[in-house]
Amino acid sequence: MASEGLFDMILQTKPIFKDREYLRHSYTPEKLPHRDEQIQQIARILAAPLRGETPSNVLIYGKPGTGKTATVNYVAKELEKVSEKAPIKVKVVYLNCERVNTHYRILAKLSDTFLEGLRNHRGKEFLTKMNLPTHVPRTGWPTDEVYKSFLKSLDDEKQLAVIILDEIDKLVRKSGDDVLYSLTRMNSELKNAKVSIIGISNDLHFMEYLDSRVRSSLGEEETVFPPYNAHQLRDILHQRSEISFIDGVLTDPVIQLCAAHAAREHGDARRALDLLRVSGEIAESMGAENVNVEHVRKAHERIELDQTVEVIKTLPVQSKLLLYSISMLAERTPRAVISGDVYGLYEDFCRQVGLDILTRRRVSDLISELDVLGVIDAKIINKGRYGRTKEIKLNVHPLQVQAAVQQDYLFSDLRAENFRFPTRA
DNA sequence: AATCCACAGGAAGCCCGGGAAC
DNA sequence: GTTCCCGGGCTTCCTGTGGATT
């Protein structure tokens, strides 16, 4: 291999990207195409405090990648800016409930935000005088202590706290609606300040799990973000590609194909941008001068695979072993994979690698988790006399699962030795 | 019509680690 | 150090399910 040619080749390759950062999800563009209606609607609701009224709480629905978060943050930032001249100050707090997902953590985060503001504004001595801490520890306090400290720090002046709870459905699913209950009731306890909540959810049905009082308070206003269609996705891609790709390397069919792919997957703009970026990266690595539809096809495959492999690799050990058992059964048995068989093989593997064997009950939950992740599809079926079970369908090729699991050194040498695979239906 | 299989999945509570306050 | 609190993983115990079988 001629090593001096290595860098020559890379240096000779014409660049494809101007700046690929503009294609990442973290980048929020100045203009949000096809979201004017939603921007107007949210702005109208949030503008109330500037006229001295309390704004309503808002719930925002929409599939992933429909611009919910970007739109809300955009409007909130504008509001914060405008409020500097208004009689009432607006402070926006953004919380992603995927990470901040318990009663305690939400209150702690909110409390910290306002304590910090207070410290900068009034000084540290003021906090001591008011009997307030400088910050709330990550754990250790009783929850109502945290609540009180939030209440006090917020109520210090006439202001509006706009609390954005992104992925609020995950919060409710994990910790129930206690937090939402206390947050929605706060306004009656506050003398100076006001609270307004913006909930963002992917799930249209999560409201069903809420207490009816919380439901009516939270859902005073609702805004739905429809999925982008292929045409709108194309506009978004055009907008971003102009600043991120070198002129002329992208052709219209390429953008159209990316848009079409993403439109098929519930109009997810993030997906469309990923696809465009990875297509560019593939074209670049192949030394192509421009991006073509073949690169898009390859990118599509790669994204799919990378995602599932990543999901599997980051699974806890027990889930990995369980998934491995499922993949073995899927590969070797003619009949459908059912939970009873999975448990048997799982036990066998546990003994082999010296892992504790979890109970059926726990395994049942783990299977449901795998289902939620989308790696498998689990369907409850009744087989009459032969009981009730879950029929499991693997959404990934068994060999891909096995390869991903075996990257964990614990499982590199797993064999199904003692297990008798079921043979007939 | 009654029975019964082989689980699903809810409820409660245990145990442990992490962390703060006393 | 001890005591209190939180959260997550887990177990134990339990009730529910619906169609094939008796």
Side-chain angles (χ1 to χ4, degrees):
Chain A
M1 216 183 282
S3 59
E4 70 271 20
L6 177 66
F7 288 101
D8 285 352
M9 206 186 93
I10 291 170
L11 291 171
Q12 270 168 23
T13 311
K14 283 191 187 160
I16 295 275
F17 292 105
K18 232 187 263 176
D19 187 348
R20 73 186 77 184
E21 285 308 308
Y22 293 124
L23 294 170
R24 303 205 182 271
H25 316 149
S26 48
Y27 170 73
T28 312
E30 305 264 314
K31 278 206 179 111
L32 298 162
H34 303 290
R35 284 296 173 246
D36 301 328
E37 204 182 302
Q38 284 78 13
I39 290 174
Q40 288 296 326
Q41 203 175 345
I42 297 170
R44 204 172 342 106
I45 299 163
L46 289 184
L50 302 180
R51 296 191 301 264
E53 306 157 30
T54 312
S56 312
N57 296 325
V58 193
L59 256 174
I60 290 166
Y61 292 112
K63 292 265 170 64
T66 49
K68 304 182 293 293
T69 308
T71 304
V72 170
N73 278 329
Y74 169 79
V75 177
K77 207 179 282 171
E78 291 294 308
L79 179 71
E80 242 178 353
K81 242 188 265 171
V82 174
S83 81
E84 279 166 22
K85 293 178 206 111
I88 182 163
K89 198 173 94 181
V90 178
K91 174 79 187 158
V92 178
V93 187
Y94 172 87
L95 297 175
N96 189 318
C97 302
E98 169 125 60
R99 284 173 287 111
V100 191
N101 55 8
T102 64
H103 197 163
Y104 187 93
R105 282 182 198 156
I106 293 209
L107 291 176
K109 190 91 198 192
L110 289 168
S111 195
D112 265 352
T113 308
F114 286 92
L115 284 171
E116 197 195 328
L118 218 50
R119 195 174 58 231
N120 295 337
H121 187 209
R122 302 258 201 172
K124 209 169 172 178
E125 305 72 39
F126 183 76
L127 291 179
T128 336
K129 211 177 83 195
M130 292 288 289
N131 208 3
L132 283 166
T134 43
H135 82 286
V136 178
R138 288 223 315 283
T139 161
W141 277 20
T143 307
D144 61 324
E145 259 330 282
V146 188
Y147 175 78
K148 277 182 207 149
S149 111
F150 171 46
L151 192 83
K152 250 165 118 181
S153 56
L154 172 65
D155 211 19
D156 175 63
E157 61 178 315
K158 197 171 160 63
Q159 62 178 330
L160 175 81
V162 176
I163 303 169
I164 303 173
L165 298 173
D166 205 349
E167 311 206 47
I168 192 171
D169 46 321
K170 294 203 172 132
L171 168 71
V172 173
R173 209 168 300 143
K174 186 147 197 174
S175 315
D177 57 3
D178 291 359
V179 211
L180 301 179
Y181 186 71
S182 30
L183 288 179
T184 49
R185 280 186 2 158
M186 266 189 101
N187 280 333
S188 57
E189 285 192 59
L190 290 162
K191 292 193 188 67
N192 304 312
K194 292 278 178 210
V195 171
S196 163
I197 301 163
I198 303 182
I200 305 179
S201 168
N202 294 330
D203 179 4
L204 281 151
H205 303 293
F206 94 100
M207 286 285 268
E208 290 165 19
Y209 307 112
L210 296 180
D211 181 284
S212 62
R213 281 168 296 184
V214 178
R215 198 187 309 165
S216 60
S217 162
L218 204 59
E220 285 168 324
E221 300 273 357
E222 294 188 5
T223 302
V224 177
F225 280 58
Y228 294 110
N229 61 33
H231 180 78
Q232 294 167 331
L233 286 169
R234 215 177 57 201
D235 286 348
I236 293 172
L237 292 180
H238 265 301
Q239 176 206 31
R240 300 283 189 100
S241 64
E242 272 169 28
I243 49 177
S244 52
F245 282 89
I246 302 279
D247 294 341
V249 299
L250 278 184
T251 54
D252 225 34
V254 166
I255 289 185
Q256 287 208 20
L257 187 59
C258 288
H261 267 307
R264 224 172 294 146
E265 288 169 43
H266 1 273
D268 186 341
R270 283 189 225 171
R271 197 56 191 262
L273 290 164
D274 279 342
L275 201 51
L276 196 61
R277 177 175 52 82
V278 175
S279 303
E281 283 167 0
I282 288 176
E284 196 176 53
S285 72
M286 289 170 75
E289 293 197 354
N290 47 40
V291 185
N292 63 35
V293 290
E294 181 59 20
H295 299 139
V296 178
R297 202 186 55 76
K298 282 212 171 76
H300 184 68
E301 274 174 19
R302 186 149 103 192
I303 289 173
E304 296 259 285
L305 184 62
D306 281 1
Q307 273 181 348
T308 46
V309 168
E310 194 49 38
V311 167
I312 295 171
K313 267 164 58 184
T314 51
L315 245 30
V317 278
Q318 298 282 6
S319 300
K320 270 188 195 166
L321 209 49
L322 201 58
L323 188 60
Y324 193 85
S325 310
I326 293 169
S327 78
M328 279 296 224
L329 284 165
E331 188 193 348
R332 306 229 186 139
T333 35
R335 77 174 191 201
V337 179
I338 56 170
S339 42
D341 294 344
V342 173
Y343 191 76
L345 183 55
Y346 158 81
E347 275 183 301
D348 202 33
F349 283 143
C350 277
R351 275 192 279 270
Q352 240 181 88
V353 294
L355 221 58
D356 289 344
I357 300 171
L358 300 180
T359 55
R360 289 189 125 85
R361 179 68 189 83
R362 180 65 188 139
V363 166
S364 166
D365 278 345
L366 293 182
I367 290 177
S368 303
E369 280 171 26
L370 290 175
D371 190 10
V372 171
L373 281 174
V375 194
I376 59 170
D377 274 331
K379 201 174 68 188
I380 302 160
I381 52 159
N382 265 300
K383 296 195 297 179
R385 195 73 217 258
Y386 302 106
R388 184 180 205 237
T389 184
K390 253 183 180 169
E391 202 173 278
I392 299 165
K393 208 179 109 261
L394 201 56
N395 284 337
V396 195
H397 194 279
L399 296 179
Q400 283 174 355
V401 170
Q402 287 160 29
V405 172
Q406 283 174 338
Q407 285 188 25
D408 194 324
Y409 73 98
L410 256 180
F411 307 135
S412 54
D413 200 23
L414 230 38
R415 301 296 329 149
E417 285 158 351
N418 307 318
F419 187 77
R420 274 185 52 235
F421 283 92
T423 45
R424 51 190 187 75

